[in-house]
Amino acid sequence: MRKYLAFPLIASLLFTGGCAMAPQTTKSPLELQAIQAKEFETTKKVAFASTLSVFQDLGYVVGNANLETGLISAKSPTQQSFVPFVGQVMKDVQATAFVEEIVPGRTKVRLNFVNSTQTSSGYGMRGAHDQPIEDPQVYQDVFSKVQQAIFIRQNVN
């Protein structure tokens, strides 16, 4: 009798184990905004150019950048490896920035970084997993570089 109960249980675990799940976050939206956003005493144009420049300095490939909307999207170079029984594994970091002028001379930059992993096997199966980066130090380091770039842009002329 146990043999007949074990098969449906194992089958249901296999089928539900492959379902996509939303990325797990450990912080509330307000906590995320607190680490992902920073205000600067500068114009939107200077903050936008500085953020774009910092992404490029960090090795990101900029996919889109639009000053009017204030949106920048970029990704790090893809690292590829082979894992036995899984297949090809490709990893990169997706980055976005939203730059908005709050009042003249005061601009807010919000960054978002996501670790992205894609898998591909020889049997045509594909998988993907995105994990938001919530480490405040990552954002502080980038904001520090943006602040330096703003300082240089404002004082070069």
Side-chain angles (χ1 to χ4, degrees):
M1 182 70 173
R2 285 187 173 163
K3 186 173 17 174
Y4 296 113
L5 292 175
F7 178 74
L9 178 63
I10 292 171
S12 67
L13 287 174
L14 288 174
F15 287 120
T16 59
C19 294
M21 296 177 64
Q24 296 297 319
T25 180
T26 59
K27 297 184 178 1
S28 72
L30 285 176
E31 290 173 321
L32 283 175
Q33 186 171 349
I35 65 170
Q36 293 178 336
K38 184 170 173 81
E39 292 183 12
F40 298 97
E41 294 287 336
T42 190
T43 64
K44 178 179 179 179
K45 185 175 181 180
V46 170
F48 186 87
S50 298
T51 304
L52 185 62
S53 177
V54 167
F55 275 171
Q56 291 176 322
D57 292 346
L58 293 173
Y60 285 84
V61 177
V62 176
N64 290 310
N66 186 314
L67 176 60
E68 187 176 323
T69 63
L71 190 62
I72 302 169
S73 63
K75 76 173 210 65
S76 69
T78 303
Q79 297 176 351
Q80 185 173 342
S81 61
F82 180 79
V83 177
F85 306 109
V86 174
Q88 294 294 324
V89 177
M90 287 86 45
K91 294 182 179 186
D92 59 37
V93 177
Q94 305 288 327
T96 58
F98 178 61
V99 182
E100 64 178 324
E101 193 164 47
I102 299 170
V103 295
R106 187 135 183 98
T107 304
K108 179 179 173 182
V109 176
R110 179 150 185 198
L111 303 173
N112 186 30
F113 294 100
V114 177
N115 283 322
S116 180
T117 304
Q118 298 88 32
T119 58
S120 176
S121 74
Y123 300 106
M125 294 179 60
R126 293 178 174 245
H129 178 72
D130 293 334
Q131 183 64 41
I133 297 174
E134 296 181 357
D135 180 6
Q137 191 62 47
V138 171
Y139 295 92
Q140 289 171 8
D141 291 345
V142 176
F143 283 133
S144 175
K145 289 175 175 49
V146 170
Q147 181 66 60
Q148 290 171 0
I150 288 171
F151 179 80
I152 291 168
R153 287 182 191 284
Q154 289 177 330
N155 293 296
V156 166
N157 296 334

